Amino acid sequence: MTLAAETASVAPGQPFRIGLRQRLAPGWHTYWTNPGDAGTPPELALTLPDGATASEIQWPAPHRIPFGPLVNYGYEGSTLLPLTVTPPAGLQPGQSFTIQAQGNWLICEQVCIPEEGSFTLSLPVEAAARPDPAMAPLFQQAEAELPRPAPWQAAAGFQGQQGALLLSGEDISPQSVKEAFFFPAEWGVLDHAGAQPVQVEAGALRIGLPRGAAELPAQLAGVVAITDGAGVRSAYTVSATPGPVPALPGAAGTSGLPLGQALLWAALGGLILNLMPCVFPILAMKALAIARLSGAARAEVRGHAASYTAGVVLSFLLLGGGLLALRLAGQSAGWGFQFTSPIFVALTGWLMLAVGLNLSGVFHLGGPVGAGGGLAGRGGHLGSFATGGLAVLVATPCTAPFMAAAIGAAMALPPTGTLAVFVAMGLGMAAPYALLALFPGLANRLPRPGLWMERLKQGLAFPMYGAALWLLWVLAQLTGPEGLAAALAGGLAIGFGAWALGSAQGARGRGRLLGRGGA
């Protein structure tokens, strides 16, 4: 941190700007005036010559900085926090104008470090202030990042733990607003990590607001950051008296999407979800399961496809029910909320490791198909059902096109509508496999089972290992080195257990062969 001035000299009575300039290494951040879930904003105390005055710090629009399950509001990289100083009119050219400042701030990555600094700026007094060519561009950039008063009408309201901010104006459109987020000025008024679903139509922007634990103020004030279709970010200060929850003028109910359209988008999003990178590891089990059905009786093909579809749909219903329960309990959560739990992430990573070891042939559970842990590794309809559930489990960190709008609409619908949207999403994800239930003859067109299945199974173990490594990275972001070390120790134990189980299985197999030879 350094203290900078936009001018190389000052003039009597002429205001000029100074600023606390931060330049942080990648991964480190400081905080906005409302720091979010944790942290404190920078502070700067000035000692000025007699007769001089200074304004408060002007805060550039912040950014959301996820930190495990928490979300902070602050700044990364290079930022300038400007304020205006007015020297006394009685200064004479040839004198010096000296500013002394004492600052303290908190910088955070995996850990937070409190820092402080003492600064002195001594600027010559001249008849007219001279701009500093090196500093002027920094202050111009800082000014561009400052939020300006919103040119729109604002309305806000809450019902229970859910609310919304509605901005109305002629220049609002789906083209001018691609992303939007509201940063409240007061801490705790909103759930900082909660989702803020955005709905836009010509002339109106609605941002969903999840309530926090603090008492609602008489005026809800803050900053709205908007990114347009060209990727340009702008920020505006807004203030509204809380009242009834506002809705878009053209919205159907409070969802912003008609139920039929939400169901269609949910089904499309679920279908596309099959192509997302986080779902690819589970394709190992699905590919092997489909190959095993080649040449099977029509009733068996139909039964396995129906079991897998039921596993997918029921898992989506459980996710939707969990989100509803959190909403009714006054909490806010979004798609993939369970991956904010370090324990859940570690368990899922260990499961992916066990799946990979099974596919690699280190040990065996059930038949050669669907090694997704104890259940998914079993043959029969229970294995197909569990494979569907595991597919949904590993899909939740990803979001496919159409899903965000569908989930945002689902969270504003009545409970039955919410669950219907999640069922549609499950049917969309299961659709490729569900086709086998409707047209079981398609299985006869697949390659016949053979040695190639074993080679495919072994090759598809590597996406499982990749998924386990990615989950370790997620866990490291949530817990730091200590949690990562515990997860690695657990992975070592799982690897040893798999090896021991495989060795015992091999010994039993050799014993049976010797027994037959002796007979």
Side-chain angles (χ1 to χ4, degrees):
M1 292 279 192
T2 57
L3 190 65
E6 68 173 336
T7 59
S9 66
V10 302
Q14 182 177 332
F16 66 100
R17 289 178 297 183
I18 65 172
L20 189 61
R21 183 186 181 192
Q22 77 168 32
R23 287 172 289 182
L24 300 179
W28 292 82
H29 64 270
T30 58
Y31 296 94
W32 187 50
T33 177
N34 172 6
D37 283 321
T40 57
E43 296 179 348
L44 188 67
L46 301 181
T47 301
L48 301 173
D50 292 340
T53 60
S55 70
E56 298 293 329
I57 289 177
Q58 295 177 286
W59 298 92
H63 294 267
R64 298 177 77 248
I65 304 174
F67 188 76
L70 308 178
V71 170
N72 298 325
Y73 300 157
Y75 312 102
E76 297 176 299
S78 297
T79 304
L80 184 71
L81 306 180
L83 55 98
T84 300
V85 174
T86 304
L91 288 179
Q92 297 296 321
Q95 294 179 328
S96 292
F97 183 77
T98 300
I99 301 172
Q100 293 181 328
Q102 181 69 33
N104 58 79
W105 54 88
L106 193 65
I107 61 170
C108 297
E109 191 202 29
Q110 297 299 326
V111 297
C112 290
I113 301 175
E115 295 186 346
E116 62 180 21
S118 297
F119 311 100
T120 300
L121 276 177
S122 186
L123 302 172
V125 179
E126 299 178 357
R130 281 185 295 111
D132 186 333
M135 293 291 108
L138 298 177
F139 282 87
Q140 292 171 2
Q141 178 64 31
E143 185 172 1
E145 295 175 355
L146 293 176
R148 54 186 184 272
W152 313 300
Q153 292 183 343
F158 292 89
Q159 182 176 2
Q161 295 299 309
Q162 298 298 320
L165 172 68
L166 180 66
L167 302 177
S168 303
E170 294 182 356
D171 57 343
I172 296 177
S173 70
Q175 292 73 37
S176 65
V177 181
K178 294 301 180 184
E179 297 178 6
F181 193 86
F182 176 68
F183 297 91
E186 296 191 31
W187 183 90
V189 171
L190 302 183
D191 178 2
H192 305 113
Q196 294 190 11
V198 174
Q199 301 160 269
V200 189
E201 64 180 31
L205 163 64
R206 184 181 189 269
I207 304 174
L209 302 180
R211 278 283 284 122
E215 183 179 353
L216 196 64
Q219 283 290 115
L220 181 65
V223 172
V224 173
I226 295 176
T227 303
D228 63 18
V232 177
R233 188 175 190 257
S234 304
Y236 305 88
T237 56
V238 296
S239 178
T241 302
V245 179
L248 285 175
T254 60
S255 71
L257 281 180
L259 178 59
Q261 187 177 356
L263 294 174
L264 175 61
W265 285 21
L268 288 174
L271 179 63
I272 299 173
L273 195 60
N274 287 285
L275 305 177
M276 295 294 104
C278 58
V279 186
F280 181 73
I282 212 68
L283 295 180
M285 285 169 283
K286 291 199 283 187
L288 291 172
I290 291 174
R292 187 168 180 260
L293 293 176
S294 176
R298 298 173 68 89
E300 183 182 358
V301 173
R302 183 179 285 114
H304 277 282
S307 297
Y308 172 79
T309 302
V312 171
V313 173
L314 180 59
S315 298
F316 269 98
L317 266 176
L318 290 174
L319 282 173
L323 290 172
L324 275 177
L326 289 172
R327 188 172 77 183
L328 293 174
Q331 301 183 39
S332 177
W335 175 253
F337 66 93
Q338 67 273 34
F339 277 86
T340 62
S341 166
I343 294 176
F344 185 88
V345 172
L347 291 175
T348 306
W350 291 336
L351 175 60
M352 293 297 102
L353 174 61
V355 169
L357 292 171
N358 181 256
L359 290 172
S360 293
V362 176
F363 70 102
H364 302 283
L365 282 177
V369 179
L375 286 177
R378 296 177 58 176
H381 296 293
L382 185 58
S384 295
F385 179 88
T387 302
L390 188 59
V392 175
L393 177 69
V394 300
T396 49
C398 285
T399 301
F402 301 103
M403 278 183 59
I407 294 173
M411 291 298 96
L413 286 167
T416 54
T418 299
L419 294 178
V421 169
F422 277 86
V423 168
M425 207 175 304
L427 290 174
M429 184 176 180
Y433 209 175
L435 286 175
L436 292 176
L438 298 175
F439 307 102
L442 293 174
N444 294 326
R445 300 186 180 183
L446 298 173
R448 297 292 177 179
L451 182 61
W452 68 270
M453 289 181 59
E454 185 65 22
R455 296 288 181 263
L456 177 63
K457 182 184 75 169
Q458 293 173 358
L460 288 172
F462 292 96
M464 297 295 184
Y465 297 139
L469 288 174
W470 175 76
L471 287 166
L472 281 177
W473 178 83
V474 173
L475 185 67
Q477 306 307 304
L478 293 173
T479 63
E482 294 81 5
L484 179 60
L488 289 173
L492 179 62
I494 289 171
F496 178 80
W499 170 79
L501 177 60
S503 298
Q505 291 172 336
R508 286 196 297 270
R510 288 191 297 272
R512 285 193 294 271
L513 289 176
L514 289 174
R516 293 193 190 100

